[in-house]
Amino acid sequence: MSKSGSFLLFGSTEAYSGKSAAVLGIAFQLQEKGLDVSYGKLLGTCSKAKQIGSLDEDVQFIAQTMKIADEKLHLPLLNLQNSTITKRILGEDTTDYRQLLESYLSHQRGDVALIEGPGTLSEGKLFGLSLPEAAETLDASVVVVCRYSSPLIVDSLLAAKETLGDRLIGVMINDVPDNQLDIVNNSILPFLSNHGIPTYAVLPRSDVLRSVSVSELVKQLEAEILCCPDRLDLMVESLTIGAMNVNSALKYFRKARNMAVVTGGDRTDLQLAALETSTHCLILTGHLPPTDAVRSRAEDLEIPILSVDLDTLTTVEIIDNTFGQVRLQEPIKVECIRDMIAQYCDIDGILQALS
């Protein structure tokens, strides 16, 4: 690389596009190439992180995973939550955050700093920390991570190119279903290339990366753990609702893998049927306890049972949202993204663009 201390800023077209996973996977690859990597995040998102410069969960996890020393960490300048936003709107916060961001420049250590930007192109604008503003302040190159939804993602990527200009060195397209890989590789990538937008990675959809731990479901559902509290590290890859007769339910249970089954606390027949299939968590609604037979069988199979004081529809909505927003915190996900970036990402292309 032609200059020491380059900044590579990661943005996205929408929240939960996979920036943290991309940063982590690329950090592994750069370290394997012998490069000295530092890491940071512009905006904190952890509700526990109250103060400027505090270490939010994502920063702490990636730093520990990559064994990045404290002096090579760029801490969040701001924790983005309702209270900080309100203070800014009311004029109670007049901090020049772009000036604070310049401290990143003077404290940069290593060959390249991987900086995780805001969740969208405009997020952080209120504080002068939107993706374009941050890229200008840091004189950074930008990679935009986009979660695939349909071919219309080209709209948001063209908008990113228009907004970021030459600072956008390329994009990564994440979470592409198998049946959409052909159209992405054979149609979308050539189109983007013709518009001056290189694509460094097309990452196929992964059930592992989309999975959520039982402990995260407990947290999101505010659930009571009825058995097997030592098995909350099990990963849930799919969700099935038990609301029909047993024979019909079994057809769905047998098709799913590593699932959470949501069913009424009074449906003992469905609960027992679910426990005999690929179930990693049984979630009982209505705050009704399981029978002794169900609890005993779950303990034999080491399958956690959770009880929620919610109806089935609300429970399912919360779990669906959790699948889309879960953070990269489990070792199995770290290994998965490491392997995927190694296999599908053009690291040399990124380094060449940085040069």
Side-chain angles (χ1 to χ4, degrees), residues 1 19 29 34 37 60 84 122 131 145 155 160 197 219 298 307 342:
M1 296 170 65
K19 289 195 308 300
Q29 293 302 304
V37 176
Q60 189 173 17
T84 54
S122 60
L131 188 65
V145 181
D155 276 348
I197 305 174
K219 175 182 174 182
S307 176

Side-chain angles (χ1 to χ4, degrees), residues 9 42 98 101 117-118 128-140:
L9 185 58
L42 291 183
R98 291 188 72 173
L101 181 57
L129 294 175
S130 67
L131 188 65
E133 290 169 315
E136 179 182 350
T137 301
L138 294 174
D139 189 24

Side-chain angles (χ1 to χ4, degrees), residues 150-192:
S150 77
L152 277 175
I153 62 166
V154 297
D155 276 348
S156 57
L157 295 178
L158 290 173
K161 175 65 175 177
E162 182 178 2
T163 302
L164 296 164
D166 291 340
R167 293 200 180 280
L168 179 65
I169 62 170
V171 301
M172 300 173 67
I173 303 176
N174 187 31
D175 198 30
V176 182
D178 289 344
N179 63 1
Q180 295 292 301
L181 285 169
D182 283 344
I183 190 171
V184 171
N185 287 313
N186 299 324
S187 299
I188 293 178
L189 265 59
F191 175 86
L192 293 175

Side-chain angles (χ1 to χ4, degrees), residues 63-248:
Q64 290 175 348
T65 302
M66 299 308 307
K67 297 179 172 59
I68 295 175
D70 289 347
E71 64 269 18
K72 293 178 183 176
L73 278 180
H74 299 285
L75 302 181
L77 300 171
L78 174 75
N79 191 38
L80 201 62
Q81 53 187 184
N82 288 341
S83 60
T84 54
I85 294 170
T86 301
K87 286 181 180 179
R88 189 70 167 185
I89 292 173
L90 294 176
E92 297 173 7
D93 176 12
T94 58
T95 305
D96 186 345
Y97 287 99
R98 291 188 72 173
Q99 187 175 34
L100 287 181
L101 181 57
E102 290 178 358
S103 67
Y104 278 28
L105 296 168
S106 59
H107 292 93
Q108 162 60 346
R109 303 289 185 272
D111 298 311
V112 58
L114 305 179
I115 306 296
E116 189 173 342
T120 67
L121 295 178
S122 60
E123 185 179 72
K125 179 71 176 176
L126 179 64
F127 304 92
L129 294 175
S130 67
L131 188 65
E133 290 169 315
E136 179 182 350
T137 301
L138 294 174
D139 189 24
S141 300
V142 179
V143 170
V144 167
V145 181
C146 177
R147 183 181 296 277
Y148 185 84
S149 55
S150 77
L152 277 175
I153 62 166
V154 297
D155 276 348
S156 57
L157 295 178
L158 290 173
K161 175 65 175 177
E162 182 178 2
T163 302
L164 296 164
D166 291 340
R167 293 200 180 280
L168 179 65
I169 62 170
V171 301
M172 300 173 67
I173 303 176
N174 187 31
D175 198 30
V176 182
D178 289 344
N179 63 1
Q180 295 292 301
L181 285 169
D182 283 344
I183 190 171
V184 171
N185 287 313
N186 299 324
S187 299
I188 293 178
L189 265 59
F191 175 86
L192 293 175
S193 179
N194 289 337
H195 286 78
I197 305 174
T199 303
Y200 295 124
V202 175
L203 304 175
R205 176 165 292 178
S206 165
D207 289 335
V208 171
L209 290 181
R210 290 174 63 88
S211 64
V212 57
S213 66
V214 176
S215 62
E216 184 68 18
L217 292 180
V218 171
K219 175 182 174 182
Q220 296 296 329
L221 293 168
E222 298 182 355
E224 179 185 356
I225 305 166
L226 300 182
C227 77
C228 304
D230 57 335
R231 298 294 285 149
L232 302 186
D233 59 336
L234 289 173
M235 302 302 295
V236 173
E237 297 179 9
S238 61
L239 171 64
T240 302
I241 304 171
M244 64 287 284
N245 64 61
V246 175
N247 290 334
S248 298

Side-chain angles (χ1 to χ4, degrees), residues 277-298:
T277 57
S278 183
T279 298
H280 276 187
C281 178
L282 192 59
I283 302 172
L284 309 185
T285 60
H287 209 64
L288 295 172
T291 63
D292 291 342
V294 171
R295 188 190 296 266
S296 175
R297 186 57 178 157

Side-chain angles (χ1 to χ4, degrees), residues 38-79:
S38 60
Y39 165 72
K41 186 176 182 182
L42 291 183
L43 300 173
T45 54
C46 175
S47 59
K48 297 178 183 177
K50 303 295 185 183
Q51 305 296 325
I52 293 174
S54 54
L55 204 62
D56 91 344
E57 291 174 350
D58 287 341
V59 176
Q60 189 173 17
F61 178 77
I62 291 180
Q64 290 175 348
T65 302
M66 299 308 307
K67 297 179 172 59
I68 295 175
D70 289 347
E71 64 269 18
K72 293 178 183 176
L73 278 180
H74 299 285
L75 302 181
L77 300 171
L78 174 75
N79 191 38

Side-chain angles (χ1 to χ4, degrees), residues 122 134 339 346:
S122 60
D339 292 343
D346 180 11

